[in-house]
Amino acid sequence: MTTDEGLRKVKVKKRYRLGFNWFFWISLIVIIIPVIYFVWLLLQAAKVSHTPIVGDRIKNTITYQIDDSTVKQINDTIKTIDGVESVQVNLIVETLRITVNAADGRSAEEYQQMAENIYHAVNGITPIDMYFTRTEEYKQYDLEINVYDNLDADTPIMIALIKNSSMETFVINNLSEPINPELAYQLTHPEEAQQQEEEEQTDEDIEGDGTLEND
């Protein structure tokens, strides 16, 4: 062994053992907890995904509630009204919907009067002010009455009477007649409406030219 070899110092690498990594495990726990909670929510939602939702929410918005026996009473009362051939009364969520097939051969005014008679019949069983009028705290029910004669006829008549809880009184409309006849004609007879518009425009142009010549 030479002197240089004896004097050479051999460097030995020391191995250090890592201690317990608190930061890693705390971070992992913080991440895992919300993930587990989210998975739990998904499992709970999957269990009730095929369960129908019953309209229990109206318990918090309706003061006077209409039950099945009251619906039947309204149905039986409407059957006795003159001109009513058949009737269906349904309570859907927060709307009392009444559909009446009336006797054929009457005028639209007569069907409108029938709808009003049905309205008053409902008022006699479930007062409108109590069941179908909104207050400051409660919404109450909506009322919808539809009266029609023969839907297969060339010109069927359908009358709709609506009383929302926020309305002071009902409104009644003849759904078989357009609210805007001119617009309805343009939609159903586009070619005739276009031709009529061009003729009117031509007449206006002629009148305008005549005015200029007279001046």
Side-chain angles (χ1 to χ4, degrees), residues 76-192:
D76 294 341
T77 302
I78 294 175
K79 285 181 179 179
T80 63
I81 296 177
D82 179 48
V84 175
E85 293 187 347
S86 64
V87 57
Q88 291 182 348
V89 181
N90 298 309
L91 187 62
I92 303 176
V93 187
E94 296 176 359
T95 301
L96 183 68
R97 184 170 295 128
I98 301 172
T99 305
V100 172
N101 182 6
D104 300 345
R106 303 192 179 190
S107 64
E109 290 74 17
E110 289 177 301
Y111 293 129
Q112 290 180 0
Q113 184 60 52
M114 184 183 300
E116 294 186 27
N117 293 340
I118 295 170
Y119 176 86
H120 294 304
V122 173
N123 184 45
I125 301 172
T126 52
I128 301 298
D129 292 340
M130 295 172 58
Y131 288 85
F132 302 97
T133 302
R134 184 173 190 156
T135 64
E136 294 181 356
E137 299 178 357
Y138 300 98
K139 179 180 181 297
Q140 301 308 113
Y141 292 100
D142 296 331
L143 177 62
E144 178 181 323
I145 301 173
N146 296 298
V147 178
Y148 65 93
D149 57 352
N150 183 7
L151 298 180
D152 296 328
D154 294 335
T155 56
I157 299 176
M158 176 174 286
I159 305 298
L161 185 150
I162 304 296
K163 168 65 174 73
N164 294 332
S165 61
S166 58
M167 298 167 56
E168 294 183 0
T169 186
F170 66 85
V171 294
I172 188 167
N173 293 308
N174 184 353
L175 301 183
S176 52
E177 294 182 356
I179 298 177
N180 189 334
E182 183 178 353
L183 177 60
Y185 181 80
Q186 291 176 358
L187 295 175
T188 55
H189 303 80
E191 295 181 359
E192 292 85 344

Side-chain angles (χ1 to χ4, degrees), residues 40-59:
W40 179 81
L41 289 178
L42 290 178
L43 292 175
Q44 295 298 319
K47 291 180 181 180
V48 297
S49 60
H50 299 291
T51 303
I53 299 176
V54 184
D56 291 335
R57 67 185 180 91
I58 66 174
K59 293 181 180 180

